[in-house]
Amino acid sequence: MTTTPNPAHNPATDTVLDALAAVLEQRRHAAADDSYVAALHHKGLNKILEKVGEEATETLLAAKDAEHGNDAERQALIAETADLWFHSLVMLSHLELDHRPVLDELARRFGVSGHAEKADRTRS
């Protein structure tokens, strides 16, 4: 199922996520030898999910180090979070999903109590 990009998004306001999504889409169909992203796609969803899990774990460990850490440890957390977001975008791309609905979902939740939002999800 391909998610159609939201026409309300304006190229003049595209974010780095939009630019990255475009590159990921191009590389998705590239030769596995030419692109890390293509290699992940060729290995399939399980490999991509493995990378997302690996990056999530590395992000958690970096966060623990950053809690009382110095600038280098805090920067390591930024780098690991970028890796996690990147691999999450690869996962969405593999499933032919656009990142914009994720941003739309975050926007929908903005200003809504986290407790209320979670309660609504458990009632559904």
Side-chain angles (χ1 to χ4, degrees):
M1 170 177 91
T2 302
T3 304
T4 306
N6 183 340
H9 289 275
N10 181 335
T13 60
D14 280 353
T15 67
V16 68
L17 291 178
D18 296 311
L20 182 54
V23 170
L24 292 177
E25 182 60 27
Q26 289 172 332
R27 294 188 181 165
R28 183 171 173 224
H29 303 291
D33 292 340
D34 295 339
S35 164
Y36 172 72
V37 170
L40 284 174
H41 283 293
H42 285 281
K43 291 176 183 175
L45 182 61
N46 284 344
K47 182 60 177 179
I48 295 167
L49 296 177
E50 180 183 309
K51 287 300 297 179
V52 171
E54 176 187 313
E55 297 303 339
T57 299
E58 290 175 3
T59 301
L60 295 174
L61 294 172
K64 291 297 285 180
D65 291 342
E67 182 178 27
H68 301 290
N70 58 30
D71 287 343
E73 289 164 321
R74 297 175 80 71
Q75 184 56 44
L77 174 58
I78 299 298
E80 292 300 343
T81 302
D83 289 346
L84 176 58
W85 290 10
F86 174 82
H87 286 89
S88 295
L89 289 170
V90 172
M91 174 189 65
L92 290 173
S93 171
H94 189 80
L95 295 170
E96 297 182 7
L97 293 169
D98 191 88
H99 68 281
R100 290 180 190 103
V102 176
L103 298 176
D104 292 343
E105 177 62 16
L106 288 171
R108 183 193 68 77
R109 294 178 186 186
F110 202 83
V112 175
S113 161
H115 295 300
E117 193 279 329
K118 187 171 184 177
D120 286 344
R121 278 190 282 151
T122 57
R123 282 188 225 132
S124 300

